[in-house]
Amino acid sequence: MSTTLPPDLPLATRFAALVLDWYGENARDLPWRTPDATPWDVLVSEIMLQQTPVSRVLPAYQEWMTRWPTPAALAADEPGEAVRAWGRLGYPRRALRLHECAVAITSRHGGELPTDLEALLALPGVGAYTARAVASFAYRQRHAVVDTNVRRVLSRVVTGVADAAPGSATRDLALAEPLVPTDAGVAARYAVAVMELGALVCTARAPRCADCPVVADCAWFRAGKPAYDGPVRRPQGYAGTDRQVRGRLLAVLRDADGPVPQAALDVVWHDPVQRGRALDGLVTDGLVDPLPDGRYALPGAR
DNA sequence: CAGACGTGGCT
DNA sequence: TAGCCAAGTCT
């Protein structure tokens, strides 16, 4: 990567210009980024991409959008079908919330995604990141859009630290805001560009600094790429947890054509106490419906 | 604010 | 191999 930008430009100006230029040549061709992508397309992709890699989202996304191209289409179907189509993307509550989103959008917003941040934030499963992502990517508004990629990039470039400490959304936005270009359209392209840089170059594991367009402005690189020495992140353990049991229980229901007997669920985990707790949790979350006859099913229309 | 919440690929 | 990591949100 090379640049001929004057080195005396303010960091914010240089950073945005360099990242935008890089994005122009290195952006991936993803279906939710096409010019004809609707706000609904953007929202569905954002929800699916929460904690889930692009490679796994791609096939599920294509199938989902073919089946439910509009919020009204999804709202007209049963929530259990959304959970089933979610497949093995993980965190299936997202499927349920996406269905709730579709219902809310259809009933309260005439079937169109709202355009203002407050209304977006009010939708189920839409938080500080996703609301700004939709407002920016779909409506070309000017917002600081901060996800884990952006947090890492800014931590390195601006703060000079290898990784963002677990922090508040307020602090993240304060760090990101000064770098956002003034013009809304430019800001929207900048938002996706910084994320892309974090996803492809300024990665968590083995950053490709040699290919980075802003390496000359990176405080972390200039400091010799010191190792992260901040607060230790909590372990992410999975084996043996309720989450694993929930996953197995739900997989049985996803793969079944209809309601299943208790016995079909009992075989997936040896410990009846943990199994019962996990099943109760799924019912509480609305991911599983206990039927009057003792069987269990994915949530129906009710 | 810390912890819960899935899943699979990569090092 | 075991652990790390992936476009977060909710409580």
Side-chain angles (χ1 to χ4, degrees):
Chain A
M1 297 298 121
S2 67
T3 176
T4 56
L5 282 180
D8 58 336
L9 285 175
L11 173 61
T13 305
R14 285 181 53 81
F15 182 72
L18 293 169
V19 171
L20 283 164
D21 185 57
W22 172 87
Y23 183 72
E25 295 181 10
N26 296 278
R28 285 170 295 181
D29 188 16
L30 300 170
W32 45 86
R33 286 183 185 165
T34 61
D36 63 322
T38 67
W40 172 243
D41 294 342
V42 173
L43 176 64
V44 172
S45 74
E46 290 303 332
I47 300 291
M48 286 187 171
L49 287 164
Q50 290 171 4
Q51 306 288 283
T52 306
V54 169
S55 59
R56 296 221 331 267
V57 164
L58 239 21
Y61 174 82
Q62 305 281 18
E63 181 185 348
W64 187 287
M65 296 318 303
T66 298
R67 184 169 178 185
W68 299 300
T70 64
L74 179 57
D77 220 328
E78 296 184 1
E81 282 309 295
V83 173
R84 190 191 307 279
W86 199 252
R88 308 189 68 80
L89 285 183
Y91 293 144
R93 289 191 293 197
R94 292 181 292 166
L96 217 44
R97 296 203 178 114
L98 197 44
H99 183 274
E100 292 171 17
C101 258
V103 171
I105 291 164
T106 303
S107 65
R108 308 200 305 244
H109 300 289
E112 300 290 328
L113 286 231
T115 59
D116 63 291
L117 196 56
E118 291 310 307
L120 287 167
L121 281 167
L123 295 172
V126 176
Y129 161 74
T130 302
R132 286 172 177 78
V134 171
S136 177
F137 305 159
Y139 294 121
R140 318 304 296 175
Q141 295 172 14
R142 182 185 183 280
H143 295 286
V145 182
V146 183
D147 74 329
T148 188
N149 288 303
V150 176
R151 278 164 51 78
R152 186 175 56 250
V153 170
L154 297 187
S155 177
R156 289 173 179 171
V157 173
V158 178
T159 314
V161 176
D163 239 324
S168 69
T170 304
R171 190 172 52 183
D172 291 341
L173 292 175
L175 180 64
E177 172 61 35
L179 299 177
V180 179
T182 305
D183 178 78
V186 177
R189 186 171 171 83
Y190 162 85
V192 68
V194 183
M195 287 177 57
E196 191 78 335
L197 184 68
L200 299 183
V201 174
C202 194
T203 55
R205 188 111 36 156
R208 301 163 47 201
C209 299
D211 298 323
C212 181
V214 296
V215 66
D217 289 311
C218 181
W220 182 58
F221 183 84
R222 290 187 312 216
K225 301 168 73 171
Y228 179 77
D229 68 342
V232 178
R233 308 164 193 264
R234 61 182 181 285
Q236 220 187 5
Y238 178 64
T241 62
D242 285 5
R243 279 155 68 188
Q244 182 180 25
V245 183
R246 287 167 57 109
R248 289 193 183 183
L249 291 171
L250 203 56
V252 170
L253 291 168
R254 267 199 320 264
D255 297 340
D257 290 330
V260 305
Q262 174 86 51
L265 298 176
D266 287 346
V267 299
V268 304
W269 199 255
H270 51 88
D271 177 5
V273 174
Q274 189 177 22
R275 199 175 62 221
R277 188 173 63 229
L279 183 54
D280 283 349
L282 288 170
V283 171
T284 298
D285 289 348
L287 286 164
V288 172
D289 266 357
L291 303 182
D293 64 6
R295 293 182 301 167
Y296 293 88
L298 292 178
R302 185 146 308 256

